[in-house]
Amino acid sequence: MELKENTKVLITGADGFIGSHLVDLLLGKGLKVRALSQYNSFNYWGWLEGKAHPNLEVVSGDVRDAAFCRRIVKGCDTVFHLAALIAIPYSYVAPDSYVDTNIKGTLNMCQASMDEGVRRLIVTSTSEVYGTAQYVPIDEKHPRQPQSPYSATKIGADAIAQSFYNAFSLPVVTARPFNTYGPRQSARAIIPTIITQITNGAKTIKVGDLRPTRDFNYVEDTCRGFLALAETDGIEGRDINIATGTEVTMRETLDIIAQLIGREVTFEVDPQRLRPGKSEVFRLCGDNSVITSLTKWRPQVTLQEGLRRTIDWFTNPDNLAHYKWQIYNR
């Protein structure tokens, strides 16, 4: 069912990278968007800061609070649940906080969505739940492998969502995007960390392991995937990949970025950026045949074009100023 103009939707994690782009997409479609920003005493709204739109309502709070979740879901037709702790390196340091936010937060959103009778709940998963590919392309039947505390909590969150469909017929769909990149992404990720170092004049780029491959989705394609899953009937209870079906190594990615920026650089492996040996996910390449068979979604932005757009955004001094490029961000 197409989301009609003025339909009210909720986006949790709306102040983050993907969430803020989803806000832009849905406002552009004429929807009324209630956007959850993580509460902080600075009243800072992340990437929603300074955004004004008559159909945008920003609320501050925390998905770890069940009563709060019920209040913000009330009156919403569709809920896009993106709020999560996502940094893999920090999950080695503070795994308990990931359990609280990712598992309990998803439980709270499932319970609230059921209690308030939403038409569709989209729960955000991650390709990290698959771990290193046992076969490619990785379809939705691929075994789950918790190779980091982060991925373990996302596997748990996915299981909570599935249990609410099986036990209570909650109309939930689990969206599983592969590696999303683009403007506003945290510098903890490989593409922004390369771009910010090069554009700030570094000749030697500090990186982690450059051997792994990733299936990179440009953020606008990921957001269109979320919308397609929200509007497609008869897919409740499914977990569905959002992927391009292609893979590129980290080293190849670095070389493409350097070429697009027009700089000659070398790289240096920074030990603090390396995952523990058994925790590294060495290969990700997603099968998108389910989403392309069930919906009209197709990836539209090539890696070259997506990287060009991302570089253009980061090279704007006002945008680059948001990043502490000299400091490794877990």
Side-chain angles (χ1 to χ4, degrees):
M1 183 187 80
E2 182 181 1
L3 290 172
K4 305 287 184 159
E5 189 173 351
N6 290 322
T7 299
K8 179 172 275 191
V9 301
L10 168 67
I11 304 173
T12 71
D15 51 348
F17 162 47
I18 300 175
S20 64
H21 283 277
L22 186 59
V23 168
D24 293 340
L25 176 67
L26 300 187
L27 289 175
K29 189 177 169 64
L31 304 182
K32 292 186 175 179
V33 177
R34 179 176 291 159
L36 173 61
S37 172
Q38 173 79 23
Y39 173 80
N40 61 83
S41 61
F42 301 103
N43 200 24
Y44 179 66
W45 294 347
W47 291 116
L48 299 180
E49 194 70 25
K51 185 181 295 293
H53 191 286
N55 281 350
L56 176 63
E57 174 195 4
V58 180
V59 295
S60 295
D62 196 315
V63 294
R64 292 174 296 179
D65 188 293
F68 173 78
C69 290
R70 285 195 296 274
R71 289 199 299 273
I72 61 173
V73 166
K74 191 174 184 64
C76 292
D77 171 89
T78 304
V79 175
F80 298 88
H81 176 44
L82 283 76
L85 289 177
I86 62 172
I88 294 167
Y90 189 60
S91 77
Y92 305 133
V93 177
D96 189 55
S97 59
Y98 284 68
V99 172
D100 278 351
T101 298
N102 297 352
I103 298 179
K104 186 178 179 183
T106 299
L107 170 63
N108 290 341
M109 292 306 302
C110 287
Q111 187 72 57
S113 296
M114 185 177 70
D115 291 347
E116 295 298 328
V118 304
R119 182 193 62 85
R120 175 67 57 80
L121 167 64
I122 305 294
V123 167
T124 307
S125 182
T126 169
S127 56
E128 285 282 329
V129 303
Y130 295 126
T132 296
Q134 296 184 14
Y135 57 83
V136 293
I138 298 170
D139 59 24
E140 290 82 355
K141 295 179 181 178
H142 188 283
R144 285 18 170 196
Q145 300 177 106
Q147 290 181 233
S148 66
Y150 163 68
S151 64
T153 62
K154 295 299 281 185
I155 291 170
D158 294 354
I160 289 289
Q162 185 65 40
S163 76
F164 267 69
Y165 172 75
N166 290 332
F168 310 117
S169 298
L170 177 69
V172 60
V173 176
T174 300
R176 186 165 294 124
F178 279 63
N179 298 81
T180 302
Y181 72 99
R184 307 177 199 158
Q185 188 173 21
S186 165
R188 61 168 183 77
I190 183 68
I191 289 174
T193 198
I194 292 170
I195 295 174
T196 54
Q197 289 181 75
I198 293 177
T199 52
N200 277 287
K203 301 295 185 183
T204 301
I205 309 305
K206 294 182 178 180
V207 293
D209 196 329
L210 293 179
R211 294 171 298 169
T213 68
R214 293 294 183 262
D215 185 333
F216 285 118
N217 278 302
Y218 187 63
V219 65
E220 290 180 6
D221 280 338
T222 297
C223 291
R224 289 190 306 100
F226 278 104
L227 180 59
L229 296 180
E231 294 186 325
T232 301
D233 294 326
I235 61 173
E236 294 84 357
R238 304 285 297 268
D239 54 322
I240 300 176
N241 290 340
I242 303 174
T244 69
T246 60
E247 59 184 325
V248 60
T249 67
M250 300 294 197
R251 176 59 193 270
E252 290 167 333
T253 304
L254 187 156
D255 290 341
I256 295 170
I257 292 170
Q259 182 181 34
L260 288 172
I261 295 177
R263 303 274 181 85
E264 290 189 10
V265 298
T266 58
F267 69 89
E268 175 184 285
V269 174
D270 180 358
Q272 69 175 330
R273 299 170 192 253
L274 295 173
R275 299 191 196 184
K278 289 185 287 186
S279 188
E280 180 60 80
V281 174
F282 281 101
R283 191 176 188 191
L284 287 175
C285 180
D287 185 331
N288 63 15
S289 58
V290 171
I291 192 171
T292 56
S293 66
L294 294 173
T295 78
K296 295 179 180 179
W297 182 89
R298 303 290 185 278
Q300 294 181 359
V301 182
T302 65
L303 181 61
Q304 286 271 348
E305 176 59 25
L307 288 175
R308 187 175 292 109
R309 295 183 193 181
T310 305
I311 291 166
D312 287 346
W313 186 87
F314 273 96
T315 50
N316 180 319
D318 290 338
N319 297 330
L320 193 59
H322 289 285
Y323 292 84
K324 301 172 183 174
W325 66 276
Q326 306 98 324
I327 302 172
Y328 173 54
N329 182 5
R330 288 185 179 272

